[in-house]
């Protein structure tokens, strides 16, 4: 078994996220994803078919945020985690969302870790 951490760092999207009236319009959100991925063996042929393609995560997140939006960052990061865990090679995932423009002096965010349980 070969374990790797696949990282998508700082993907910036414009989306509806929040409960306040001013958040009814799209705002800037940064998403980062770290996936613990298990492969049967290290990639030997140096071909994308042997590994998890980053496009799968990036495209999946973009599709999620193009929808009606989310009220809570907790709901958003759970949806991203579920997307990642849909690939059976992903054993664990950590997802972070940040809203950098909510306050003039601070960003606000949410981070979760989800694991696939055998059984």
């Amino acid at each position: 078994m070969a374990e790797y951490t696949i990282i998508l760092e700082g993907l910036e999207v414009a989306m509806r996220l929040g409960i306040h009236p001013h958040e009814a319009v799209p705002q800037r959100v940064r998403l980062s994803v770290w996936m613990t991925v298990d492969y049967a063996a290290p990639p030997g042929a140096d071909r994308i078919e042997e590994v998890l393609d980053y496009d799968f995560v990036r495209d999946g997140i973009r599709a999620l945020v193009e929808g009606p939006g989310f009220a809570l960052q907790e709901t958003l990061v759970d949806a991203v985690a579920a997307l990642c865990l849909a690939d059976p090679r992903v054993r664990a995932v950590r997802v972070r969302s940040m809203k950098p423009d909510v306050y003039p002096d601070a960003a606000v965010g949410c981070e979760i870790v989800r694991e696939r349980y055998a059984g």
Side-chain angles (χ1 to χ4, degrees):
M1 189 69 68
E3 177 184 298
Y4 292 83
T5 300
I6 305 300
I7 302 165
L8 178 68
E9 181 73 35
L11 175 64
E12 195 165 291
V13 297
M15 65 178 295
R16 288 180 294 284
L17 176 62
I19 60 168
H20 301 291
H22 67 273
E23 294 177 307
V25 297
Q27 65 178 301
R28 199 162 53 116
V29 176
R30 277 195 207 108
L31 293 154
S32 295
V33 180
W34 299 264
M35 294 172 285
T36 303
V37 180
D38 292 326
Y39 301 130
D46 199 27
R47 296 178 49 86
I48 192 66
E49 295 80 16
E50 297 179 282
V51 297
L52 187 141
D53 188 343
Y54 303 104
D55 290 346
F56 148 75
V57 179
R58 184 176 173 272
D59 294 346
I61 290 171
R62 290 208 173 274
L64 279 173
V65 304
E66 288 175 4
F70 294 85
L72 305 173
Q73 289 194 75
E74 290 84 350
T75 310
L76 170 62
V77 294
D78 273 327
V80 173
L83 165 77
C84 296
L85 289 168
D87 186 307
R89 299 169 294 182
V90 178
R91 180 169 29 99
V93 61
R94 181 172 61 158
V95 181
R96 176 185 297 159
S97 66
M98 296 297 296
K99 297 187 332 183
D101 304 319
V102 171
Y103 301 117
D105 56 353
V108 295
C110 181
E111 181 174 302
I112 61 161
V113 174
R114 296 288 184 261
E115 296 182 25
R116 180 183 312 283
Y117 295 100

